[in-house]
Coordinates of all heavy atoms in Angstrom, one line a residue:
Q626 N 87.9 77.5 19.2 CA 89.3 77.5 19.6 C 89.4 77.1 21.1 O 89.4 77.9 22.0 CB 90.0 78.9 19.4 CG 90.0 79.3 18.0 CD 90.7 80.7 17.8 OE1 91.3 81.2 18.7 NE2 90.6 81.3 16.6
P627 N 89.5 75.7 21.2 CA 89.5 75.2 22.6 C 90.7 75.7 23.4 O 90.6 75.8 24.7 CB 89.6 73.8 22.4 CG 89.1 73.5 21.0 CD 89.5 74.7 20.2
E628 N 91.8 75.9 22.7 CA 93.0 76.4 23.5 C 92.8 77.7 24.2 O 93.1 77.9 25.4 CB 94.3 76.5 22.6 CG 94.7 75.1 22.0 CD 93.9 74.7 20.8 OE1 93.1 75.5 20.4 OE2 94.1 73.6 20.3
K629 N 92.2 78.6 23.4 CA 92.0 80.0 24.0 C 90.8 79.9 25.0 O 90.9 80.6 26.1 CB 91.5 81.0 22.9 CG 92.6 81.4 21.9 CD 92.1 82.4 21.0 CE 93.3 82.9 20.0 NZ 92.9 83.9 19.1
A630 N 89.8 79.0 24.8 CA 88.9 78.9 25.8 C 89.4 78.3 27.1 O 89.0 78.8 28.2 CB 87.7 78.0 25.3
A631 N 90.3 77.3 26.9 CA 90.9 76.8 28.1 C 91.8 77.8 28.9 O 91.8 77.9 30.2 CB 91.7 75.5 27.8
A632 N 92.5 78.7 28.2 CA 93.3 79.7 28.8 C 92.3 80.7 29.6 O 92.7 81.2 30.7 CB 94.1 80.4 27.7
Y633 N 91.3 81.0 28.9 CA 90.3 81.9 29.7 C 89.7 81.2 30.9 O 89.6 81.8 32.0 CB 89.1 82.3 28.7 CG 89.5 83.3 27.7 CD1 89.1 83.1 26.3 CD2 90.3 84.4 27.9 CE1 89.4 84.0 25.4 CE2 90.6 85.3 27.0 CZ 90.2 85.1 25.7 OH 90.5 86.0 24.7
M634 N 89.5 79.9 30.8 CA 89.1 79.2 32.0 C 90.1 79.2 33.1 O 89.7 79.3 34.3 CB 88.6 77.8 31.6 CG 87.4 77.8 30.7 SD 85.9 78.4 31.6 CE 85.7 77.3 32.8
D635 N 91.3 79.0 32.7 CA 92.4 79.0 33.7 C 92.5 80.4 34.5 O 92.7 80.5 35.6 CB 93.7 78.7 33.1 CG 93.8 77.2 32.7 OD1 93.1 76.4 33.3 OD2 94.7 76.9 31.8
Q636 N 92.4 81.5 33.7 CA 92.4 82.8 34.2 C 91.2 83.1 35.1 O 91.3 83.7 36.2 CB 92.4 83.9 33.1 CG 93.7 83.8 32.2 CD 93.6 85.0 31.2 OE1 92.9 85.9 31.3 NE2 94.5 84.8 30.2
I637 N 90.1 82.5 34.7 CA 88.8 82.6 35.6 C 89.1 81.9 36.9 O 88.8 82.4 38.0 CB 87.6 82.1 34.9 CG1 87.3 83.0 33.7 CG2 86.4 82.0 35.9 CD1 86.1 82.5 32.9
Y638 N 89.7 80.7 36.8 CA 90.0 79.9 38.0 C 90.9 80.6 39.0 O 90.7 80.7 40.1 CB 90.6 78.5 37.6 CG 91.1 77.7 38.8 CD1 90.3 77.1 39.6 CD2 92.4 77.6 38.9 CE1 90.7 76.3 40.7 CE2 92.9 76.9 40.0 CZ 92.1 76.3 40.8 OH 92.6 75.5 41.9
Q639 N 92.0 81.1 38.4 CA 93.0 81.8 39.2 C 92.4 83.1 39.8 O 92.7 83.4 41.0 CB 94.2 82.2 38.3 CG 95.1 81.0 37.8 CD 95.7 80.3 38.9 OE1 96.0 80.9 40.1 NE2 96.0 79.0 38.8
T640 N 91.6 83.8 39.0 CA 90.9 85.0 39.7 C 90.0 84.7 40.8 O 90.0 85.3 41.8 CB 90.2 85.8 38.6 OG1 91.1 86.1 37.5 CG2 89.6 87.0 39.1
A641 N 89.2 83.6 40.6 CA 88.3 83.1 41.6 C 89.0 82.7 42.8 O 88.7 83.0 44.0 CB 87.4 82.1 41.1
R642 N 90.2 82.0 42.7 CA 91.0 81.5 43.8 C 91.5 82.6 44.5 O 91.6 82.6 45.8 CB 92.1 80.6 43.3 CG 92.8 79.9 44.4 CD 93.9 78.9 43.8 NE 94.7 78.3 44.8 CZ 95.7 77.5 44.6 NH1 96.0 77.2 43.3 NH2 96.4 77.0 45.6
E643 N 92.1 83.6 43.8 CA 92.7 84.8 44.6 C 91.6 85.5 45.3 O 91.8 86.1 46.4 CB 93.4 85.7 43.5 CG 94.7 85.1 42.9 CD 95.3 85.9 41.8 OE1 94.6 87.0 41.6 OE2 96.3 85.6 41.3
L644 N 90.4 85.6 44.7 CA 89.3 86.3 45.3 C 88.9 85.6 46.6 O 88.6 86.2 47.6 CB 88.1 86.4 44.3 CG 86.8 87.1 44.9 CD1 87.2 88.5 45.4 CD2 85.7 87.0 43.9
T645 N 88.9 84.3 46.5 CA 88.5 83.5 47.7 C 89.5 83.7 48.8 O 89.2 83.9 50.0 CB 88.4 82.0 47.3 OG1 87.4 81.8 46.3 CG2 88.0 81.2 48.6
R646 N 90.8 83.6 48.4 CA 91.9 83.9 49.4 C 91.8 85.3 50.1 O 91.9 85.4 51.3 CB 93.2 83.7 48.8 CG 94.4 83.8 49.8 CD 95.7 83.7 49.1 NE 95.8 82.4 48.4 CZ 96.8 82.0 47.5 NH1 97.7 82.9 47.1 NH2 96.8 80.9 46.9
A647 N 91.6 86.3 49.2 CA 91.5 87.6 49.8 C 90.3 87.7 50.6 O 90.2 88.4 51.8 CB 91.3 88.6 48.6
M648 N 89.2 87.1 50.3 CA 88.0 87.2 51.2 C 88.2 86.5 52.4 O 87.8 87.0 53.5 CB 86.7 86.6 50.4 CG 86.3 87.3 49.2 SD 85.7 88.9 49.7 CE 84.3 88.5 50.7
D649 N 88.9 85.4 52.5 CA 89.3 84.7 53.7 C 90.1 85.6 54.6 O 89.9 85.7 55.9 CB 90.0 83.4 53.4 CG 89.2 82.3 52.8 OD1 87.9 82.4 53.0 OD2 89.7 81.4 52.2
E650 N 91.1 86.3 54.1 CA 91.9 87.2 54.8 C 91.2 88.3 55.4 O 91.3 88.7 56.6 CB 93.0 87.7 53.9 CG 94.0 86.6 53.5 CD 95.1 87.2 52.5 OE1 95.0 88.4 52.2 OE2 96.0 86.5 52.2
I651 N 90.3 88.9 54.6 CA 89.5 90.0 55.2 C 88.5 89.6 56.2 O 88.3 90.3 57.2 CB 88.7 90.7 53.9 CG1 89.7 91.4 53.0 CG2 87.7 91.7 54.4 CD1 89.2 91.9 51.8
V652 N 87.8 88.4 56.0 CA 86.9 87.9 57.0 C 87.6 87.7 58.3 O 87.1 87.9 59.4 CB 86.2 86.7 56.4 CG1 85.4 86.0 57.5 CG2 85.3 87.1 55.3
W653 N 88.8 87.1 58.2 CA 89.6 86.8 59.4 C 90.0 88.1 60.1 O 89.9 88.2 61.3 CB 90.9 86.1 59.0 CG 91.8 85.7 60.3 CD1 91.7 84.6 60.9 CD2 92.7 86.6 60.8 NE1 92.6 84.6 62.0 CE2 93.3 85.9 61.9 CE3 93.2 87.8 60.6 CZ2 94.2 86.4 62.7 CZ3 94.2 88.4 61.4 CH2 94.8 87.6 62.5
A654 N 90.3 89.2 59.4 CA 90.7 90.4 59.9 C 89.5 91.2 60.7 O 89.8 91.8 61.6 CB 91.4 91.3 58.9
V655 N 88.3 91.1 60.1 CA 87.3 91.8 60.6 C 86.6 91.0 61.9 O 85.8 91.6 62.6 CB 86.2 92.1 59.6 CG1 86.7 93.0 58.5 CG2 85.6 90.9 59.0
N656 N 86.9 89.8 62.1 CA 86.4 89.1 63.2 C 87.1 89.5 64.6 O 88.3 89.3 64.7 CB 86.6 87.6 62.9 CG 85.9 86.7 64.0 OD1 85.3 87.2 64.9 ND2 85.7 85.4 63.7
Y657 N 86.3 90.0 65.4 CA 86.8 90.5 66.7 C 87.5 89.4 67.5 O 88.3 89.7 68.4 CB 85.8 91.3 67.5 CG 84.7 90.3 68.1 CD1 84.9 89.9 69.4 CD2 83.6 89.9 67.3 CE1 83.9 89.0 69.9 CE2 82.6 89.1 67.9 CZ 82.8 88.6 69.2 OH 81.9 87.8 69.6
K658 N 87.1 88.2 67.3 CA 87.7 87.1 68.1 C 89.2 86.9 67.8 O 89.9 86.2 68.5 CB 86.9 85.7 67.8 CG 85.5 85.8 68.3 CD 84.9 84.4 68.0 CE 83.4 84.4 68.4 NZ 82.7 83.2 68.2
H659 N 89.6 87.5 66.6 CA 91.0 87.3 66.3 C 91.9 88.5 66.7 O 93.0 88.6 66.3 CB 91.1 87.1 64.7 CG 90.5 85.9 64.2 ND1 90.0 85.8 62.9 CD2 90.2 84.8 64.8 CE1 89.4 84.6 62.8 NE2 89.6 83.9 63.9
D660 N 91.3 89.4 67.6 CA 92.1 90.6 68.0 C 93.0 90.3 69.2 O 93.0 90.9 70.2 CB 91.1 91.7 68.4 CG 90.3 92.2 67.2 OD1 90.8 92.0 66.1 OD2 89.2 92.8 67.5
T661 N 93.8 89.1 69.1 CA 94.7 88.7 70.2 C 96.0 88.4 69.5 O 96.1 88.1 68.3 CB 94.2 87.6 70.8 OG1 93.9 86.4 70.0 CG2 92.8 87.9 71.5
L662 N 97.0 88.4 70.3 CA 98.4 88.1 69.8 C 98.5 86.6 69.4 O 99.2 86.2 68.4 CB 99.4 88.5 70.9 CG 100.9 88.2 70.5 CD1 101.2 89.1 69.3 CD2 101.8 88.6 71.7
D663 N 97.9 85.8 70.2 CA 97.9 84.3 69.9 C 97.3 84.0 68.5 O 97.8 83.3 67.7 CB 97.2 83.5 71.0 CG 98.0 83.5 72.3 OD1 99.1 83.8 72.2 OD2 97.3 83.3 73.4
S664 N 96.1 84.6 68.2 CA 95.4 84.5 67.0 C 96.3 84.9 65.9 O 96.4 84.3 64.7 CB 94.0 85.1 67.0 OG 93.4 84.9 65.8
L665 N 97.0 86.1 66.0 CA 97.8 86.6 65.0 C 99.0 85.7 64.7 O 99.3 85.4 63.5 CB 98.3 88.0 65.4 CG 99.2 88.7 64.4 CD1 98.5 89.0 63.1 CD2 99.8 90.0 65.0
A666 N 99.6 85.2 65.8 CA 100.7 84.2 65.6 C 100.3 83.0 64.9 O 100.9 82.5 63.9 CB 101.3 83.9 66.9
T667 N 99.1 82.5 65.2 CA 98.6 81.3 64.6 C 98.3 81.6 63.1 O 98.6 80.7 62.2 CB 97.2 80.8 65.2 OG1 97.4 80.6 66.6 CG2 96.7 79.6 64.5
Y668 N 97.8 82.8 62.7 CA 97.6 83.1 61.3 C 98.9 83.2 60.6 O 99.0 82.8 59.4 CB 96.9 84.4 61.3 CG 96.6 84.9 59.9 CD1 95.5 84.4 59.1 CD2 97.4 85.8 59.3 CE1 95.2 84.8 57.8 CE2 97.1 86.2 57.9 CZ 96.1 85.7 57.2 OH 95.8 86.1 56.0
F669 N 99.9 83.7 61.1 CA 101.3 83.9 60.5 C 101.8 82.4 60.2 O 102.4 82.2 59.2 CB 102.3 84.6 61.4 CG 102.1 86.2 61.3 CD1 102.6 86.9 62.4 CD2 101.4 86.7 60.3 CE1 102.5 88.3 62.3 CE2 101.2 88.1 60.2 CZ 101.7 88.9 61.2
V670 N 101.7 81.5 61.2 CA 102.1 80.2 61.0 C 101.4 79.5 59.8 O 102.0 78.9 58.9 CB 102.0 79.3 62.2 CG1 102.3 77.9 62.0 CG2 102.9 79.9 63.4

Side-chain angles (χ1 to χ4, degrees):
Q626 297 183 12
E628 295 83 3
K629 290 184 177 182
Y633 288 136
M634 292 298 296
D635 289 339
Q636 293 182 21
I637 292 174
Y638 170 76
Q639 292 296 334
T640 301
R642 184 177 180 182
E643 292 176 359
L644 178 60
T645 302
R646 181 183 302 169
M648 291 297 297
D649 290 340
E650 295 175 355
I651 293 175
V652 170
W653 182 92
V655 298
N656 190 346
Y657 69 93
K658 295 181 179 179
H659 297 152
D660 294 342
T661 61
L662 183 60
D663 292 339
S664 182
L665 180 63
T667 303
Y668 180 81
F669 282 162
V670 172

